[in-house]
Amino acid sequence: LQVSPEQVILSHSPLQLFNQFHQKCMLVAGQGPVEENAQNLGFKHVVTIEALRKAYPLLDMVDQSRRPKELPPPTTGFPTIEGVILFGEPVRWETSLQLIIDVLLSNGNLGAELQDIPYPHLPVLACNMDLLWMAEAKMPSRFGHGTFLLCLENIYKKVTGRELKYEALIGKPSTVTYRYAEYLIKEQAEKQGWKSPIRRLYAVGDNPMSDVYGANLYNSYLKSAHQNQIQTGVKRSPQAAGPQTEDHLKPRQDCDYSVESCESILVCTGVYRHNADVPSKTKECTTETVFHGHRDFCFDPSLVEASYIVQDVNDAVQLAFKKENWS
């Protein structure tokens, strides 16, 4: 299987279209080369959590071994932070939670005396909302970035009495991600010389609360768009079928709305598993009493009901081939 970088979408990929923030000084949090990732997405002025901690060492006080032994000199020349990008769960949660809260409370100027708590606070863009993910451990699931966001939201509300607001939530199940995926799929189809319009998308995943929920939410969005086009006869942006459908994605404005549906396919090799054979009734198997989705996405049982349940990704691909009469 030959896969090029242009065919891959990560949870943060749609950030490259948020160009209204690309010239601002943004604090980035997560693991790996977050500074490089932000720059590759178009952000010109990036500050990492570690750089912020070094500039203001008196802020990070939970780990006693990292507390300064002597009073450091005042910090000068450090830029004012204008927004926050949360790429994924960090390694040292206490440090990231503390400094992100500090940035929001100080309006990005950590060297100033705190007067009134600003609200609305600085823009926060968060990627990857999965509460849990499947690893090799015998215990069922590991903490994901959604768990970190849950901590951040609750700390902010406990300290300020107000809700933490997101400028955008990116990654499944956000409609933004599926809109961006559709745009790239059509772009790839044009490069490969496809003439026929794409009518159906297939979204394969193992997590009912993110993969299936997001695909079904986007399916509702597509039906709304298609219905608006039929009723009005003009290409206008439809109302979203759910929350967090930001208008940041310009490619959608030039879309002909040829895609009519997004089919959700749930596989049993990750977060969702069952011991018996693949069941025929998906609703009975995907309904959960505890909603693991993000705070800003209201729970709708119908949205976690997959169009199909199969054993693994290979079966999902074969199913799509069969549905499209390619087999």
Side-chain angles (χ1 to χ4, degrees), residues 12 25 114 314 327:
H12 57 255
C25 181
L114 182 62
N314 181 63
S327 58

Side-chain angles (χ1 to χ4, degrees), residues 115-177:
Q115 302 294 330
D116 297 324
I117 297 176
Y119 198 84
H121 54 69
L122 292 174
V124 178
L125 298 92
C127 312
N128 187 356
M129 293 164 277
D130 283 3
L131 184 77
L132 305 168
W133 63 283
M134 179 57 65
E136 293 76 18
K138 291 184 179 179
M139 293 298 292
S141 300
R142 305 298 87 207
F143 290 164
H145 193 216
T147 308
F148 178 82
L149 297 180
L150 183 64
C151 295
L152 182 66
E153 293 156 9
N154 281 278
I155 293 171
Y156 183 84
K157 186 172 184 179
K158 193 71 172 178
V159 171
T160 67
R162 298 174 180 267
E163 294 285 352
L164 181 87
K165 301 292 185 181
Y166 294 96
E167 182 74 18
L169 287 167
I170 304 168
K172 297 173 293 186
S174 172
T175 319
V176 171
T177 293

Side-chain angles (χ1 to χ4, degrees), residues 141-275:
S141 300
R142 305 298 87 207
F143 290 164
H145 193 216
T147 308
F148 178 82
L149 297 180
L150 183 64
C151 295
L152 182 66
E153 293 156 9
N154 281 278
I155 293 171
Y156 183 84
K157 186 172 184 179
K158 193 71 172 178
V159 171
T160 67
R162 298 174 180 267
E163 294 285 352
L164 181 87
K165 301 292 185 181
Y166 294 96
E167 182 74 18
L169 287 167
I170 304 168
K172 297 173 293 186
S174 172
T175 319
V176 171
T177 293
Y178 292 84
R179 290 167 68 186
Y180 184 64
E182 179 192 336
Y183 168 70
L184 289 192
I185 287 170
K186 289 185 174 181
E187 191 177 64
Q188 290 297 314
E190 290 178 5
K191 289 181 179 180
Q192 297 182 26
W194 285 36
K195 302 300 182 182
S196 301
I198 298 172
R199 300 298 185 191
R200 283 175 297 278
L201 302 177
Y202 294 89
V204 183
D206 71 309
N207 192 333
M209 290 300 177
S210 59
D211 304 327
V212 173
Y213 185 105
N216 289 340
L217 187 64
Y218 193 57
N219 186 55
S220 299
Y221 174 84
L222 289 171
K223 290 183 181 302
S224 174
H226 189 63
Q227 188 64 30
N228 284 344
Q229 187 181 23
I230 293 175
Q231 291 177 350
T232 64
V234 297
K235 300 175 183 177
R236 62 184 178 88
S237 179
Q239 293 296 314
Q244 294 300 331
T245 311
E246 293 85 353
D247 293 325
H248 300 293
L249 301 189
K250 296 179 181 178
R252 186 73 204 178
Q253 298 173 3
D254 302 325
C255 183
D256 60 1
Y257 299 115
S258 62
V259 174
E260 299 173 359
S261 66
C262 180
E263 305 285 332
S264 57
I265 305 178
L266 181 64
V267 297
C268 308
T269 49
V271 172
Y272 177 81
R273 296 188 179 188
H274 59 78
N275 297 324

Side-chain angles (χ1 to χ4, degrees), residues 8-81:
V8 177
I9 298 176
L10 303 177
S11 61
H12 57 255
S13 296
L15 282 175
Q16 63 183 299
L17 297 177
F18 287 69
N19 51 23
Q20 68 270 40
F21 298 105
H22 287 176
Q23 300 298 327
K24 295 182 179 296
C25 181
M26 304 295 288
L27 174 68
V28 293
Q31 292 184 47
V34 289
E35 184 174 13
E36 180 183 346
N37 289 342
Q39 291 170 348
N40 289 339
L41 291 166
F43 294 91
K44 307 300 183 185
H45 310 286
V46 178
V47 174
T48 65
I49 291 288
E50 187 60 25
L52 190 63
R53 190 188 76 83
K54 289 182 178 179
Y56 298 96
L58 295 178
L59 298 179
D60 186 22
M61 302 296 281
V62 173
D63 185 347
Q64 297 183 22
S65 67
R66 300 218 301 181
R67 295 178 183 178
K69 301 301 185 288
E70 298 178 357
L71 192 64
T75 301
T76 58
F78 199 84
T80 299
I81 294 171

